Amino acid sequence: MAIPRQLPNAITIVRILCAPVFLWMLLADGGADGALRWWAAALFIVAIATDGLDGYLARRNDIVTDLGKLLDPLADKILTGFAFIGLSILGELPWWVTIIVLIREIGITIHRFVVASDHVVAAAWMGKLKTLAQAVALSLALLPLWTLVGDWIFWVNGVAMTIAVVLTIVSGIDYVLTEVREARKSRGAA
């Protein structure tokens, strides 16, 4: 059975629309670790999980579009960016971490839109790994697991967040180097 051609992009757009709802729920809880915090974390986890679903459906049904290649990483950046910002507002994540991540994400997003008329830059494997690491680290940080298992979970959260930040930086460098190489090849071919 064929799926509608627009379904993967619709899933991506829903992910974008979930981001402000998630942020509102997280901030409305105000760090109280109550029901809204759990719901915010659950919404984030479900929304970020759709990243794999929309890509899978598009590839499986051979309906990958340039719009999808642009929107999918943008949706991830909006959702994870809101999570980083929300955790920093709550004082649970240092602002320098959020700023490093946002500089990388905004810089690459701007570049993608600038070169979109020339070519669409799809997410590379390292960018996908970075997104997965961020999703895991943010999910651990958002879920108030310390209320269930104790403070040792903060150590696990710290390790996961460190891995995510390192992959964010390394994948950003990889992106820039790849784009520079491709630009040189294009100039050499011309």
Side-chain angles (χ1 to χ4, degrees), residues 5 9 63-72 116 119-121:
R5 183 162 182 77
N9 289 345
I63 51 177
V64 175
T65 64
D66 284 347
L67 178 63
K69 289 179 189 176
L70 279 174
L71 281 182
D72 186 60
H119 67 284
V120 174
V121 182

Side-chain angles (χ1 to χ4, degrees), residues 111-176:
H111 180 264
R112 274 196 168 109
F113 281 110
V114 167
V115 302
S117 63
D118 182 41
H119 67 284
V120 174
V121 182
W125 71 270
M126 192 171 285
K128 292 178 182 187
L129 182 61
K130 176 265 313 174
T131 300
L132 176 63
Q134 286 181 354
V136 169
L138 289 167
S139 297
L140 286 171
L142 290 166
L143 287 166
L145 295 174
W146 48 91
T147 63
L148 301 175
V149 299
D151 289 348
W152 66 269
I153 197 71
F154 290 121
W155 183 85
V156 174
N157 292 357
V159 169
M161 192 61 70
T162 300
I163 292 169
V165 172
V166 167
L167 282 173
T168 298
I169 294 166
V170 171
S171 68
I173 293 168
D174 178 65
Y175 178 92
V176 170

Side-chain angles (χ1 to χ4, degrees), residues 62-114:
D62 198 28
I63 51 177
V64 175
T65 64
D66 284 347
L67 178 63
K69 289 179 189 176
L70 279 174
L71 281 182
D72 186 60
L74 180 63
D76 298 336
K77 287 169 179 32
I78 291 170
L79 185 60
T80 58
F82 277 23
F84 280 108
I85 290 168
L87 289 168
S88 290
I89 289 171
L90 293 174
E92 297 177 18
L93 186 66
W95 274 104
W96 67 264
V97 170
T98 298
I99 290 167
I100 286 173
V101 170
L102 291 179
I103 287 171
R104 185 262 190 220
E105 304 297 9
I106 292 169
I108 288 177
T109 300
I110 289 171
H111 180 264
R112 274 196 168 109
F113 281 110
V114 167

